[in-house]
């Protein structure tokens, strides 16, 4: 049967099929990229959940529990809210690490985004299930307060990322922000004008709007997030290769000049939560013979500090035993700290 656009129902079906196909192809593409390229688990998870959601929606959208028919006469699109509860937190987890490379590190922004988002979703579901206008408005306004905090925190993350990433990645961060806000701002607007709110559009009209919002907030945003990750990782690889080449050139020049290679003359612990600028400091300090240990969080730094202290104590204990056997050697003193200097880099340091 040919698809026609003579009604909202046919348009809704068409957009659901488009969203399903986009999610299916995105899932296959991200699976490949995880194996052979650079791809976070978040975008793959979102694409898979979206694919399953649209399979259920295309086949059993009006059946329970996809749609719940409550005793107070209210009809709740439960499948839509289930999908939000499953994907929105993961989107915000990925958002909180936008502009970083390496192993993911979660911080205060992550927790704020997750907490605010849960409040928004729960209040939205309560508003949709309310049969009394007063309760519906109250729940919706509380959800908007949570949503405002989510948008504000997301804005700070995007701005920090835009400042930190290389120049050729800045537009990608900008496009991600556009896609995020276009999609996410459509949801409360559709709630207000849709069947859950004032009822200015039909259920099929709401389905059309939500399919478009899903394309922006999940499919397009996921592809942009993957592309930014790829670009940042390629920058990191280039920086490591340049560092290795420079080190080889310096060693070659030193050998030709008959210069003895610089020996380590100190030990520094660097804490860089963004994992972006520690490589620069390690490279520059390494030229001076400094032994640099990098950490991605304060917890990791605390662990390495204790490990280094334990290792230092064991080494000096052996030296003390050797000195005790050979009375000509003075007994060394165990240092209080295994590192000569500890550097904690702020999250706003720029990627050079």
């Amino acid at each position: 049967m040919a698809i026609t656009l003579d009604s909202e129902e046919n348009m809704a079906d068409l957009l659901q099929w488009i969203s399903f196909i986009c999610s299916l192809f995105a899932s296959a593409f991200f699976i490949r990229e995880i194996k052979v390229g650079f791809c976070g688990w978040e975008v793959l998870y979102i694409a898979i959940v979206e694919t399953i959601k649209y399979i259920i929606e295309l086949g059993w959208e009006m059946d329970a529990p996809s749609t719940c028919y409550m005793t107070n006469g209210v009809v709740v699109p439960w499948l839509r809210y289930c999908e939000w509860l499953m994907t929105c937190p993961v989107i915000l987890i990925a958002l909180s690490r936008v502009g970083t490379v390496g192993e993911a590190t979660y911080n205060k922004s992550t927790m704020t985004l997750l907490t605010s988002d849960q409040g928004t979703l729960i209040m939205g579901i309560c508003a949709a299930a309310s049969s009394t206008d007063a309760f519906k408005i109250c729940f919706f306004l509380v959800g908007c307060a949570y949503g405002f905090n989510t948008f504000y925190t997301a804005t700070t993350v995007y701005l920090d990322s835009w400042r930190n990433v290389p120049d050729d990645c800045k537009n990608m961060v900008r496009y991600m922000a556009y896609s995020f806000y276009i999609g996410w701002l459509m949801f409360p607007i559709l709630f207000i004008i849709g069947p859950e709110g004032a009822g200015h559009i039909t259920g099929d009209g709401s389905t059309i709007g939500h399919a478009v919002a899903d394309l922006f907030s999940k499919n397009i945003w996921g592809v942009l997030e993957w592309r930014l990750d790829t670009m940042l990782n390629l920058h990191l690889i280039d920086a490591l290769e340049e560092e290795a080449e420079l080190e080889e050139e310096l060693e070659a020049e030193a050998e030709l000049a008959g210069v003895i290679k610089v020996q380590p003359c100190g030990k520094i612990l660097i804490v860089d939560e963004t994992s972006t600028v520690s490589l620069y400091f390690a490279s520059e300090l390494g030229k001076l013979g400094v032994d640099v240990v990098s950490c991605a969080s304060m917890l990791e730094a605390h662990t390495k500090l204790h490990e280094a202290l334990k290792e230092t104590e064991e080494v000096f204990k052996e030296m003390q035993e050797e000195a005790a056997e050979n009375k000509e050697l003075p007994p060394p003193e165990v240092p209080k700290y295994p590192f000569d200097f500890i550097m904690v880099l702020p999250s706003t340091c720029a990627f050079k």
Side-chain angles (χ1 to χ4, degrees):
M1 175 178 169
I3 297 177
T4 63
L5 304 180
D6 298 333
S7 66
E8 280 189 345
E9 183 178 358
N10 289 334
M11 177 65 80
D13 290 340
L14 175 61
L15 282 171
Q16 285 176 321
W17 275 105
I18 291 174
S19 297
F20 164 69
I21 293 171
C22 290
S23 299
L24 183 63
F25 275 96
S27 300
F29 176 75
F30 292 143
I31 289 174
R32 174 188 176 278
E33 286 301 305
I34 283 180
K35 292 182 177 180
V36 301
F38 305 102
C39 183
W41 67 271
E42 299 95 339
V43 292
L44 173 60
Y45 173 86
I46 295 165
I48 291 175
V49 172
E50 280 291 288
T51 303
I52 296 172
K53 179 252 190 180
Y54 277 106
I55 290 174
I56 299 173
E57 194 169 78
L58 287 166
W60 304 274
E61 181 180 8
M62 304 310 295
D63 298 336
S66 298
T67 301
C68 294
Y69 303 89
M70 303 182 64
T71 55
N72 60 5
V74 176
V75 179
V76 179
W78 180 240
L79 177 63
R80 179 184 301 160
Y81 298 133
C82 284
E83 182 258 335
W84 289 357
L85 288 167
M86 295 177 68
T87 58
C88 290
V90 180
I91 292 173
L92 296 174
I93 288 173
L95 189 154
S96 68
R97 66 174 189 84
V98 166
T100 62
V101 292
E103 187 176 352
T105 56
Y106 306 122
N107 48 36
K108 182 181 177 182
S109 295
T110 312
M111 300 302 108
T112 303
L113 288 168
L114 292 177
T115 304
S116 299
D117 180 62
Q118 289 300 298
T120 303
L121 294 176
I122 292 171
M123 292 299 104
I125 294 171
C126 291
S130 298
S131 59
T132 306
D133 290 342
F135 282 117
K136 186 181 292 288
I137 292 172
C138 287
F139 283 125
F140 180 78
L141 291 177
V142 175
C144 286
Y146 275 108
F148 175 81
N149 192 42
T150 302
F151 287 160
Y152 173 79
T153 306
T155 301
T156 61
V157 172
Y158 280 123
L159 288 175
D160 285 343
S161 300
W162 187 84
R163 297 188 190 103
N164 293 339
V165 298
D167 291 339
D168 62 335
C169 297
K170 292 185 184 296
N171 281 337
M172 195 60 59
V173 175
R174 185 182 294 112
Y175 299 150
M176 287 182 67
Y178 292 159
S179 178
F180 176 85
Y181 285 113
I182 289 173
W184 281 58
L185 285 172
M186 287 181 67
F187 294 125
I189 295 173
L190 290 169
F191 185 97
I192 293 173
I193 65 177
E196 301 94 337
H200 293 309
I201 60 175
T202 64
D204 289 326
S206 178
T207 299
I208 292 171
H210 282 92
V212 174
D214 282 342
L215 286 172
F216 277 101
S217 64
K218 300 179 179 71
N219 299 101
I220 296 176
W221 188 90
V223 172
L224 294 173
E225 203 276 339
W226 158 80
R227 181 56 185 163
L228 179 62
D229 264 359
T230 301
M231 293 174 69
L232 291 175
N233 276 283
L234 291 176
H235 270 283
L236 179 60
I237 292 173
D238 290 341
L240 291 174
E241 290 177 350
E242 289 177 4
E243 180 183 343
E245 290 175 2
L246 180 60
E247 186 176 349
E248 290 178 0
E249 291 177 2
L250 292 174
E251 289 181 358
E253 291 176 1
E255 289 179 2
L256 290 174
V259 178
I260 301 175
K261 187 178 179 181
V262 178
Q263 297 299 321
C265 60
K267 197 170 185 180
I268 294 180
L269 177 67
I270 297 179
V271 183
D272 179 16
E273 294 185 353
T274 64
S275 300
T276 54
V277 293
S278 57
L279 288 174
Y280 170 78
F281 284 102
S283 174
E284 295 301 314
L285 292 172
K287 297 173 185 177
L288 303 176
V290 178
D291 184 12
V292 179
V293 177
S294 300
C295 301
S297 65
M298 293 301 296
L299 179 61
E300 184 182 355
H302 182 76
T303 302
K304 287 193 175 183
L305 186 62
H306 279 275
E307 290 176 353
L309 182 59
K310 184 177 180 181
E311 181 182 350
T312 303
E313 289 177 348
E314 291 177 354
V315 171
F316 275 83
K317 185 177 180 181
E318 293 177 359
M319 294 175 62
Q320 288 176 333
E321 292 175 355
E322 184 179 351
E325 294 176 0
N326 187 355
K327 296 182 179 180
E328 295 181 359
L329 295 175
E333 295 182 0
V334 179
K336 294 182 179 180
Y337 300 103
F339 295 98
D340 300 298
F341 187 73
I342 298 178
M343 181 186 299
V344 180
L345 301 176
S347 59
T348 55
C349 283
F351 190 113
K352 297 295 183 184

